[in-house]
Amino acid sequence: MESSSLSRPNLSSMRAFSFTIYGTMVLVSTYFPLFYAKLGFSNSQIGVLYALGPMISLIANLLWSIASDKYRTVKKIMCILLIGQIIMSYILSISTSFSMIMLIITIFYFFFYPVFPLSDTIAINAAKQHGKSFITVRIFGSIGYAFFALVIGYVLSLIGASRTMWVTMAIAGIALLITMFIQDQSSPVAKMNMSGIWSILRQKELLWFFGCVFCLAISARMNDAFLTITLKDLGAGENVIGWAQLASSCSEIPIFLFLSIYGNRFKELPLLIFASLVFATRFLLVSLTGSAYAIIAIQLMHSFSFGIFYVTAIRMLTRLIPDEFRATGMALFTIAWSSASGLLSGTLGGIVFEQFGRQRFYLIAMTFALIACIGFATRYFHRDPAIRAR
């Protein structure tokens, strides 16, 4: 009874924290590019600034994991990270040159990205203590993303995109306050195991899976990096951009819930094939449309693209990777889906968008999604029939 009473408020605090920190995710992925554009940066420069995040996350996640492991605390590390975000946001608010912002945003990303795996660590433990599924906490992140996508859009339409960093400081400050009410967990974030990497890379099915994920991630990250620029080019204001993000984040919530309950009734690879095909169709439609409002409608396809992919990919990883190497496998998944793909899509994507325009940019994104679809399909139809039944 005592343990239950302790875990209950902690679970509520974690839901509130998850809800809030995804507000900073909205800002970084959606409104930071507008802030850069407001300063007069080119699309290729914006692409470089976007690519810095995934590159820094490779180092930052590992270093803060080591710190969490050494000092046996997650809560204190998160407090340091949030304070770092607030300080760097203030410096960004008074910076104007590209070289200075490139330096400061690099340090900002160092404090930004590790918050999410650390919060997942506490949330998983809190959910287990309460006898709940992790999705009951994670879904509040999606709800928070939807809420802040709309609210921040309207706020910035009133105060201007130049005040983006002040909004960032406010949300990070709220998250820091909520952290005070979170019960600390001594469980550290698992570190990458080199022997585990070698064990994983010897599995042909898993290696094929990571290759397909990487191709799909390039297309998804290209869209993430330049969706707001695309909407802005089509005449959309900050509030319309907020509605576009709201449409995508809200659409994934019912899919998360449905697949967390009934997902095991469906085979993994057919779901991944379908999700990749929806990604390709989604980017094809974006390349063809000339309306910002049409893109809002297209964003609803996020539920059947990312929603299905994310839940199914995690399920497949859980099946393929032994328990002792699961942390390593998840680290490789993060590198494929976020870090390496984000670095490539940001740097090359910015050049493609600037040199060839929006239509060809999204056709290239569609091509990468189709390559992933073909990869998943090839694996499904050329595998042992006994395994195919999974």
Side-chain angles (χ1 to χ4, degrees):
M1 291 295 292
E2 184 177 355
S3 175
S4 178
S5 64
L6 286 173
S7 64
R8 192 178 303 275
N10 192 47
L11 194 59
S12 299
S13 299
M14 280 309 309
R15 285 169 173 162
F17 184 75
S18 182
F19 179 92
T20 306
I21 60 171
Y22 275 88
T24 59
M25 178 66 80
V26 171
L27 283 160
V28 170
S29 63
T30 304
Y31 295 103
F32 272 30
L34 294 182
F35 174 74
Y36 302 145
K38 191 74 174 179
L39 294 175
F41 297 162
S42 67
N43 288 331
S44 58
Q45 287 177 317
I46 293 173
V48 169
L49 292 174
Y50 175 86
L52 284 172
M55 180 177 66
I56 295 303
S57 70
L58 288 169
I59 304 171
N61 287 334
L62 180 60
L63 290 181
W64 287 112
S65 295
I66 294 173
S68 176
D69 186 23
K70 180 178 179 179
Y71 297 105
R72 306 292 291 177
T73 179
V74 178
K75 177 177 176 178
K76 293 176 182 177
I77 296 295
M78 284 201 299
C79 288
I80 295 173
L81 294 174
L82 290 168
I83 292 172
Q85 287 182 35
I86 294 172
I87 295 173
M88 290 302 107
S89 297
Y90 173 73
I91 299 176
L92 281 169
S93 71
I94 59 175
S95 303
T96 55
S97 69
F98 177 75
S99 57
M100 179 58 70
I101 287 182
M102 187 173 179
L103 172 63
I104 302 304
I105 198 64
T106 299
I107 303 173
F108 174 88
Y109 286 142
F110 185 76
F111 292 108
F112 173 73
Y113 279 99
V115 167
F116 297 93
L118 286 169
S119 66
D120 285 348
T121 299
I122 294 185
I124 290 171
N125 290 335
K128 286 182 178 179
Q129 290 175 7
H130 199 58
K132 299 289 185 178
S133 168
F134 168 64
I135 198 68
T136 62
V137 177
R138 173 59 180 82
I139 200 170
F140 277 82
S142 298
I143 296 172
Y145 192 99
F147 172 80
F148 283 109
L150 184 60
V151 171
I152 292 172
Y154 277 104
V155 169
L156 291 181
S157 68
L158 295 175
I159 67 176
S162 60
R163 302 291 181 88
T164 299
M165 295 305 159
W166 291 96
V167 179
T168 306
M169 285 186 280
I171 295 177
I174 295 172
L176 180 62
L177 181 63
I178 297 173
T179 306
M180 301 297 105
F181 299 94
I182 294 176
Q183 179 185 349
D184 200 5
Q185 304 284 341
S186 60
S187 301
V189 177
K191 295 179 289 185
M192 186 176 290
N193 186 311
M194 296 306 295
S195 63
I197 294 177
W198 177 246
S199 176
I200 287 171
L201 293 181
R202 286 185 295 181
Q203 299 183 47
K204 292 183 179 179
E205 185 176 7
L206 194 57
L207 192 60
W208 190 281
F209 170 77
F210 281 132
C212 294
V213 167
F214 181 70
C215 290
L216 187 60
I218 291 176
S219 66
R221 296 305 168 193
M222 287 175 68
N223 177 67
D224 290 345
F226 290 95
L227 178 64
T228 53
I229 302 299
T230 295
L231 290 168
K232 201 68 176 178
D233 288 347
L234 293 176
E238 281 79 2
N239 57 337
V240 175
I241 293 171
W243 278 105
Q245 295 297 333
L246 176 71
S248 62
S249 55
C250 281
S251 69
E252 74 183 24
I253 295 173
I255 290 294
F256 279 172
L257 290 175
F258 177 81
L259 290 179
S260 66
I261 299 172
Y262 302 106
N264 289 332
R265 299 183 181 182
F266 304 96
K267 299 174 183 177
E268 295 158 356
L269 283 174
L271 284 176
L272 293 173
I273 293 168
F274 176 75
S276 302
L277 190 59
V278 176
F279 265 117
T281 304
R282 177 180 165 188
F283 299 144
L284 173 63
L285 293 175
V286 174
S287 73
L288 295 176
T289 187
S291 168
Y293 293 98
I295 291 180
I296 295 178
I298 295 170
Q299 283 291 92
L300 293 173
M301 298 175 68
H302 181 80
S303 60
F304 294 103
S305 53
F306 176 76
I308 291 177
F309 165 79
Y310 181 76
V311 176
T312 308
I314 297 300
R315 171 186 154 196
M316 188 168 182
L317 281 172
T318 302
R319 176 178 63 81
L320 292 176
I321 300 175
D323 290 343
E324 63 269 24
F325 297 131
R326 188 155 297 158
T328 302
M330 289 302 297
L332 290 174
F333 176 77
T334 301
I335 290 172
W337 180 251
S338 299
S339 302
S341 59
L343 178 61
L344 183 62
S345 62
T347 51
L348 298 182
I351 297 174
V352 171
F353 195 97
E354 188 170 301
Q355 297 296 323
F356 300 103
R358 171 179 59 88
Q359 290 184 330
R360 291 187 180 180
F361 175 85
Y362 274 99
L363 286 176
I364 292 173
M366 178 200 71
T367 301
F368 276 106
L370 285 176
I371 292 173
C373 180
I374 294 171
F376 285 129
T378 301
R379 187 62 185 172
Y380 178 67
F381 290 110
H382 291 82
R383 57 194 304 202
D384 189 281
I387 302 177
R388 191 186 304 172
R390 293 173 180 170

